[in-house]
Amino acid sequence: MTKNLTLFDADTSTVEQSLNQHFADWVAFRQTSKSKARSERPLSEESANVYAEMWHAFAKFCAERDLALQEVTVTDLETFLTIRGSGPDAFRPRQTTRGPDLTARYANRYLVLIQKVTQFIAKREGIEANRAAATLRERPEYQYAEAADKDPPPEYLEEGQARSLISYLTRAPRPDSAEKFTWKTVRDRTAVALMLGAGLSPGDVRGLKLDGVITTGGKKAGVPWKLSVEGNGNSPSRETPIADWAGRQLAFWLKVRTQQSMPGNYVFPSTMKGTQWSHTRCFEASRDVMEDAKLGKDDGGLYKLRHTFALRQLRKGKSEADVARWLGFLDVSSMERYRRIVLNYQSAA
């Protein structure tokens, strides 16, 4: 489990420390739970990391207002969700927002997390649980946030945009350019390349291991053509193909990584020491690559790259079953949202 779940900064207030300890206790309970209930199963490391960043932002909000968990009201939660959607800063990653506000789906997930931790603490201490999050979730916009018909069509890159991004990601540094080109530049562009060229999610990128890069059996010696991606709480382990251009970019990054003598098994380490990229830093670095490529920071988020990969594969005639497997979907019915776009595209052609 990650180290940051129970560590507190020396300047952290008592309220914030208390709230973060509540969260750490809830995670510890989940990790040792033998329950088969989905709400009590052990968390994957990726899920725990994401929840930790979400909760720590909530704890910081409460600490600034000197609010204990039992004192939080519906109005407080409404204010928090509004602030959370108005970022960006280190505590307000906006990959799950559209425009100035959080999506109802992501806001609901915040409320679910707060409700779960609140109920856990109340049960442990034998007190009545604060119902603010539960009450807010009864509103229609949150109550039906996860409904299938509320699922918006995926945002994706038009073919011209995809080609422009590929050109940007794979271009060599220009001798006459003032552009700063470091190992991090190559790492960040290659990470984005695998989101577009192999359908990886940001979490997949962060967790990708060197022994998951497959070069044997490819068209060109030493050039990766397939990735073995570890499973997590949301998707199974899988193998996914890499587009030729993305494979060459990955080979270039691995060469740079070797030249820098980086230890560890992570393909995309955060530092020269080989430590894992954090959720927030990976998002920020990848988002900046998108902005530098003139595709905007927040328009559709990073998942539009994964969606574009799926649509490109379907348009090439790959089966829905194959693409679903490459993306790590457990149910092929998840491809329905892509099917509508492909059919419209074919009708317009």
Side-chain angles (χ1 to χ4, degrees):
M1 185 50 58
T2 52
K3 295 181 180 179
N4 63 338
L5 299 182
T6 56
L7 293 180
F8 307 115
D9 190 281
D11 297 326
T12 303
S13 72
T14 301
V15 170
E16 191 170 356
Q17 287 186 25
S18 176
L19 285 166
N20 285 339
Q21 188 60 58
H22 286 334
F23 174 80
D25 292 345
W26 174 71
V27 171
F29 162 74
R30 290 287 297 265
Q31 299 312 101
T32 58
S33 173
K34 303 298 182 182
S35 173
K36 294 183 179 180
R38 185 175 181 180
S39 62
E40 295 183 356
R41 294 175 191 166
L43 298 167
S44 69
E45 182 175 353
E46 178 68 19
S47 294
N49 282 335
V50 173
Y51 285 150
E53 292 187 26
M54 292 170 67
W55 182 267
H56 290 167
F58 174 64
K60 184 178 180 67
F61 167 86
C62 292
E64 290 171 347
R65 291 155 180 78
D66 198 26
L67 289 172
L69 195 57
Q70 285 298 104
E71 300 170 336
V72 175
T73 67
V74 168
T75 300
D76 292 325
L77 292 178
E78 290 176 320
T79 301
F80 169 68
L81 293 175
T82 299
I83 293 173
R84 182 68 174 173
S86 67
D89 66 26
F91 291 96
R92 300 171 189 164
R94 295 186 58 189
Q95 70 272 33
T96 47
T97 67
R98 296 172 190 271
D101 304 311
L102 291 175
T103 62
R105 173 170 292 192
Y106 191 59
N108 181 59
R109 289 174 183 173
Y110 244 120
L111 295 175
V112 169
L113 173 62
I114 293 169
Q115 183 180 356
K116 286 180 178 178
V117 177
T118 301
Q119 290 175 337
F120 166 75
I121 296 302
K123 183 177 181 180
R124 185 185 66 179
E125 298 181 358
I127 60 177
E128 185 176 351
N130 183 325
R131 286 192 47 79
T135 299
L136 192 52
R137 289 189 64 221
E138 292 174 357
R139 293 183 181 177
E141 63 265 36
Y142 300 127
Q143 188 176 2
Y144 303 108
E146 301 292 338
D149 61 353
K150 298 296 183 181
D151 195 18
E155 295 193 46
Y156 59 94
L157 298 178
E158 297 292 345
E159 191 58 28
Q161 292 177 308
R163 291 175 182 173
S164 177
L165 178 58
I166 291 170
S167 177
Y168 175 79
L169 296 174
T170 58
R171 77 183 188 193
R174 300 169 184 167
D176 59 341
S177 173
E179 180 182 23
K180 189 176 181 181
F181 205 88
T182 66
W183 69 265
K184 287 187 176 181
T185 304
V186 184
R187 177 200 64 184
D188 298 351
R189 293 184 184 180
T190 305
V192 172
L194 293 191
M195 294 180 200
L196 177 61
L200 299 194
S201 68
D204 293 332
V205 165
R206 293 181 54 247
L208 188 62
K209 304 292 179 57
L210 291 174
D211 50 20
V213 178
I214 301 171
T215 57
T216 305
K219 295 179 181 179
K220 186 175 181 180
V223 176
W225 67 283
K226 185 167 62 172
L227 298 173
S228 177
V229 182
E230 295 181 353
N232 55 47
N234 299 314
S235 62
S237 59
R238 67 190 193 276
E239 290 188 346
T240 183
I242 313 172
D244 290 343
W245 65 269
R248 292 192 295 272
Q249 178 66 21
L250 178 55
F252 176 49
W253 160 244
L254 292 177
K255 181 178 179 181
V256 171
R257 190 187 185 288
T258 299
Q259 290 173 342
Q260 297 294 324
S261 301
M262 295 182 187
N265 196 27
Y266 288 111
V267 172
F268 300 106
S270 176
T271 67
M272 294 284 288
K273 296 181 180 179
T275 53
Q276 186 179 20
W277 224 355
S278 74
H279 173 79
T280 300
R281 297 308 179 195
C282 175
F283 163 71
E284 291 175 344
S286 303
R287 178 200 61 187
D288 289 344
V289 169
M290 295 287 284
E291 183 182 34
D292 292 341
K294 312 301 182 186
L295 291 174
K297 273 190 176 183
D298 301 310
D299 186 17
L302 296 176
Y303 274 84
K304 71 186 329 181
L305 301 174
R306 178 172 159 89
H307 298 324
T308 304
F309 167 82
L311 289 168
R312 290 183 117 204
Q313 295 300 322
L314 292 171
R315 288 170 181 170
K316 289 178 181 179
K318 304 300 182 183
S319 73
E320 290 188 359
D322 282 342
V323 178
R325 186 175 68 255
W326 296 338
L327 293 173
F329 292 161
L330 294 171
D331 189 349
V332 178
S333 65
S334 299
M335 301 302 294
E336 168 64 27
R337 61 201 306 243
Y338 299 117
R339 187 181 306 137
R340 296 193 298 268
I341 297 173
V342 172
L343 290 174
N344 289 337
Y345 175 84
Q346 292 172 339
S347 298

